[in-house]
Amino acid sequence: MVLRIAQLPDRTPVKLTLSVDPDLALALEDYAAIYADTYGAKEKPETLAPAMLEMFLAGDAGFKRARKALHAKASKGA
């Protein structure tokens, strides 16, 4: 049987620990406060950061091209 969607990839979260500069930590706290004012829902910066990173990477055309080339190169070597 063929389904309309393919099997879902592994979606098990991977925990990363990051250290950020105090200015970035403050900016993330401010972003979380503005988010709460905008949407009426409080979220911690560490909850918002993954979505922010995903949006950043999705919008970076140079990264997308380089990543595609990287994976194409890796698959040829395999």
Side-chain angles (χ1 to χ4, degrees), residues 7-66:
Q7 183 176 0
L8 296 176
D10 181 6
R11 296 178 291 157
T12 305
V14 176
K15 183 173 181 163
L16 298 177
T17 302
L18 301 174
S19 296
V20 298
D21 293 333
D23 288 342
L24 179 55
L26 181 59
L28 291 169
E29 290 286 342
D30 290 345
Y31 193 97
I34 295 165
Y35 180 95
D37 288 345
T38 302
Y39 297 111
K42 287 188 177 186
E43 296 289 348
K44 293 180 180 180
E46 55 268 29
T47 303
L48 294 171
M52 297 165 81
L53 288 168
E54 285 178 13
M55 291 180 69
F56 174 82
L57 293 174
D60 187 331
F63 169 71
K64 286 190 233 180
R65 284 190 300 274

Side-chain angles (χ1 to χ4, degrees), residues 70-78:
L70 176 70
H71 286 279
K73 182 175 147 184
S75 67
K76 286 180 183 177

